[in-house]
Amino acid sequence: MRPGSGRAVDEMYGLMQEHALALPLVLRRVERYFGHKRVVTGRVGGESTATWAGVCARTRRLAAVLDRLGVPGGARVGTFGWNSQRHVELYLAVPCSGRVLHTINHRLFHEQIRYIVDDAADDVLFVDRSLLPAVWPLAESFTSPRHVVVMDDGADAPLPDDPRILDYETLLAEVTPFGGEFAIADENTAAALCYTSGTTGNPKGVLYSHRSMVLHALLLLMTDTFGIGERDVVMPVVPMFHVNAWGLPYAAMLCGADLILPGPATRPEELVSQLERHRVTFTGAVATVWRGLEPLLAGHDLSALRMIICGGGAVDDALSRSYERAVGIPLTNAWGMTETSPVVTVSRPATVHDDLDPDARRAVIGSPGPAIPLTELRLAGDDGAEIPWDGVTPGELQASGPTIAARYAGEELPGPAFTGDGWLRTGDVATIDAHGYVRIVDRTKDLVKSGGEWISSVELEVAIMADPRVAEAAVIGVAHPRWGERPVAYVVPKPGAGLTSEDVREHLTSHVARWWIPEQVIFITEIPKTATGKFSKRQLRLQHQHDVSPEE
Ligand code: AMP
């Protein structure tokens, strides 16, 4: 109230309509305005095309199926799926009907999947038929899911004879579609859940709200973010189980872009042909995917592409240069985390970069860039004090904003990943220049990012040391031309054990996922330690740079 104005007390507040920022707004928009636009899904041996109108109609059926299965409001609905139309239907029906969409990475090790499904207490699971062989063997040990709904993607994986197994299309055909208006009264209601690997211990759940997801979708449309609009043909190669495919499906719905979903057709030849055939204008994936496509670029017309996001890790300049030559545009880097919805920075050359030569401009585009609106960043030193934005002094990157997690699912209070004043500690070490352009220079979290997926070095060490022939083991991540990073194990064998690197790898096969197993096992007499007796990974990284022999 303005002092002395005599206005009613309620005019301390603006007099605008209180309207929940919730996903039904997105659904209504794509249904009403963009019903004629396309959603294409790659299938085993072909592809299928639907309109957004068709997708929305099936979404209404799916919401009725969830009711019929008795899935309570607020319950978690787990998905194991490729990027597909049906997964989009789940993206809409589950949160818009008041349940929580829980996307699960089927590539995780069995123990992690089991933990995640139980921790989330998923009431029902939706599984692509081609992924059933990976998921069904675990079904006996899941405690919560009452049903497993199979989405037939053309794979010939056998269907178990079990009363819990239901068929997606049969269920959809049997119900009367939900005919009302989807409504979420409180915009802070949980909408989606995604687990992320911690350095140690179990994966942690990040619980997105309707509000955070709507804001994130809007932010992706901004010109200086991805600038996605109705004329775009958007192809998320980034999996729909990874932070909602970076929010791209919701952004496409909000503005009515065509959506091209690769389905299980994710081999480089298949991806490049989809990009070409559908005249895709906007796409996003991790560097390993773009590296896989690089040799095929010359044989395809990808001239419709206006932006290729290479996120989740650093962009290598040689790769970006290849794209610039072959496609006409370099790779654009973006930084984010599961905890940050995920997009926080996107690099767009600003007016201050106008005088740069092409190589320097490509370097700007290939680095994380400045924060998009609404998220604030800061750098903190070891003592917690803020570090100036001088472009050279590194500090821990911390983030705050309405699309950033406040704490993990199941935590009463924010844990050590959050500062006392509520900012997210990212575990990345960065510099920020005077114009806000971020560069990632190191990582404090003890994780290795291989092909866009996390490997916990601490868990690998524990698994290696579970072998009685091993005295000590430490794992570091090293740069790798294909996967971005790979783990390298330094192992101290027990005297007389006669251990070989093959023995170590063989032992690991029953402890961790196959892709976690280090190609390189290096035997040493002692792991270097810090003053407090911890493994000195920094020392080990330096040592690795000097190591000449690649094996043993
Ligand atoms: P995730 O939660 O799996 O999406 O992983 C997030 C982490 O990936 C970040 O904390 C960084 O360590 C890494 N990361 C993401 N984007 C970038 C980037 N543009 N450059 C370097 N590292 C990145």
Side-chain angles (χ1 to χ4, degrees):
M1 183 166 76
R2 273 172 277 150
S5 66
R7 299 258 179 250
V9 171
D10 67 359
E11 289 193 23
M12 275 172 64
Y13 299 99
L15 295 178
M16 309 309 286
Q17 296 182 9
E18 268 192 48
H19 208 104
L21 296 180
L23 292 171
L25 284 171
V26 179
L27 170 61
R28 279 204 286 282
R29 186 167 169 82
V30 73
E31 197 172 33
R32 179 145 304 165
Y33 287 86
F34 308 115
H36 58 291
K37 303 295 297 289
R38 292 178 310 151
V39 178
V40 178
T41 303
R43 291 175 61 90
V44 176
E47 64 183 25
S48 60
T49 303
T51 59
W52 276 114
V55 170
C56 292
R58 285 166 56 86
T59 295
R60 290 179 172 280
R61 285 188 175 274
L62 181 55
V65 166
L66 296 173
D67 290 343
R68 189 169 152 200
L69 295 179
V71 181
R76 276 91 187 255
V77 174
T79 67
F80 289 91
W82 300 104
N83 292 10
S84 74
Q85 179 191 332
R86 292 193 185 110
H87 216 162
V88 169
E89 290 160 8
L90 285 157
Y91 263 44
L92 284 169
V94 174
C96 289
S97 68
R99 285 98 178 181
V100 180
L101 175 80
H102 173 208
T103 53
I104 308 164
N105 181 351
H106 58 265
R107 295 190 195 122
L108 296 177
F109 194 48
H110 285 179
E111 281 310 319
Q112 289 173 311
I113 294 183
R114 198 172 287 135
Y115 173 82
I116 286 172
V117 170
D118 281 349
D119 191 61
D122 290 324
D123 188 42
V124 182
L125 296 177
F126 285 75
V127 184
D128 272 342
R129 186 162 177 177
S130 57
L131 298 177
L132 206 54
V135 178
W136 186 250
L138 300 170
E140 289 309 321
S141 57
F142 293 153
T143 54
S144 55
R146 295 178 298 118
H147 300 289
V148 175
V149 181
V150 177
M151 303 185 280
D152 197 337
D153 56 3
D156 55 7
L159 286 176
D161 182 17
D162 188 291
R164 283 171 296 174
I165 294 272
L166 301 170
D167 173 60
Y168 187 91
E169 293 302 328
T170 309
L171 289 172
L172 250 61
E174 282 172 358
V175 292
T176 308
F178 171 71
E181 286 285 21
F182 289 106
I184 299 291
D186 181 346
E187 63 185 13
N188 289 308
T189 303
L193 175 65
C194 192
Y195 278 73
T196 180
S197 322
T199 308
T200 50
N202 289 312
K204 295 182 168 60
V206 179
L207 193 55
Y208 309 100
S209 63
H210 278 265
R211 173 186 159 85
S212 72
M213 292 175 74
V214 169
L215 286 173
H216 187 263
L218 274 170
L219 287 163
L220 296 195
L221 304 190
M222 295 184 68
T223 307
D224 283 338
T225 307
F226 294 161
I228 297 175
E230 191 269 341
R231 287 178 186 280
D232 273 309
V233 179
V234 176
M235 182 162 123
V237 180
V238 51
M240 287 176 75
F241 61 69
H242 191 95
V243 214
N244 308 314
W246 295 346
L248 295 173
Y250 293 115
M253 292 172 208
L254 203 51
C255 67
D258 282 343
L259 193 60
I260 311 297
L261 301 164
T266 54
R267 286 182 294 122
E269 314 82 74
E270 293 169 318
L271 292 176
V272 79
S273 116
Q274 287 162 346
L275 288 169
E276 179 175 40
R277 196 166 61 251
H278 297 295
R279 307 280 304 148
V280 170
T281 61
F282 180 96
T283 183
V286 295
T288 304
V289 169
W290 301 133
R291 237 171 248 130
L293 260 63
E294 186 192 2
L296 307 173
L297 296 177
H300 294 268
D301 173 10
L302 303 182
S303 57
L305 277 169
R306 65 165 184 83
M307 198 173 206
I308 306 170
I309 299 294
C310 178
V315 166
D316 103 52
D317 187 55
L319 182 66
S320 183
R321 190 195 290 262
S322 293
Y323 274 78
E324 195 167 40
R325 270 203 217 106
V327 183
I329 48 170
L331 301 174
T332 298
N333 195 212
W335 178 93
M337 300 170 70
T338 308
E339 290 85 339
T340 64
S341 294
V343 179
V344 168
T345 76
V346 180
S347 200
R348 287 286 217 158
T351 45
V352 290
H353 303 113
D354 280 352
D355 294 334
L356 297 182
D357 65 38
D359 285 347
R361 272 173 74 85
R362 193 178 55 252
V364 170
I365 297 168
S367 66
I372 62 175
L374 308 188
T375 295
E376 293 181 276
L377 295 177
R378 70 183 181 197
L379 295 177
D382 289 342
D383 57 357
E386 250 193 276
I387 283 177
W389 290 13
D390 59 10
V392 289
T393 315
E396 184 188 43
L397 188 63
Q398 300 183 347
S400 164
T403 57
I404 312 293
R407 61 175 192 265
Y408 292 109
E411 282 185 354
E412 292 274 312
L413 292 169
F418 301 89
T419 64
D421 59 351
W423 288 54
L424 172 73
R425 303 180 56 190
T426 66
D428 288 324
V429 179
T431 61
I432 304 182
D433 76 11
H435 301 292
Y437 280 67
V438 173
R439 263 172 209 285
I440 305 293
V441 295
D442 199 0
R443 197 185 284 148
T444 56
K445 45 195 173 192
D446 218 345
L447 292 165
V448 181
K449 203 164 204 188
S450 170
E453 308 253 12
W454 288 119
I455 295 172
S456 160
S457 31
V458 178
E459 275 183 44
L460 254 185
E461 287 158 10
V462 170
I464 298 171
M465 288 191 279
D467 186 331
R469 296 168 293 182
V470 171
E472 276 185 332
V475 172
I476 55 168
V478 300
H480 187 276
R482 175 156 183 220
W483 300 109
E485 286 175 10
R486 285 297 296 158
V488 170
Y490 277 85
V491 175
V492 181
K494 289 216 177 118
L499 198 64
T500 66
S501 62
E502 214 27 70
D503 293 336
V504 174
R505 284 198 285 263
E506 175 61 32
H507 162 81
L508 284 175
T509 50
S510 57
H511 286 74
V512 298
R514 187 175 287 279
W515 56 273
W516 277 39
I517 299 178
E519 288 76 21
Q520 230 187 328
V521 177
I522 300 173
F523 291 107
I524 48 174
T525 51
E526 195 189 345
I527 307 281
K529 312 274 180 357
T530 64
T532 54
K534 291 187 192 158
F535 291 160
S536 172
K537 300 286 176 88
R538 184 195 292 233
Q539 191 63 35
L540 220 41
R541 278 191 214 108
L542 285 175
Q543 187 167 327
H544 189 266
Q545 285 170 8
H546 295 289
D547 276 335
V548 275
S549 88
E551 283 270 330
E552 301 186 19

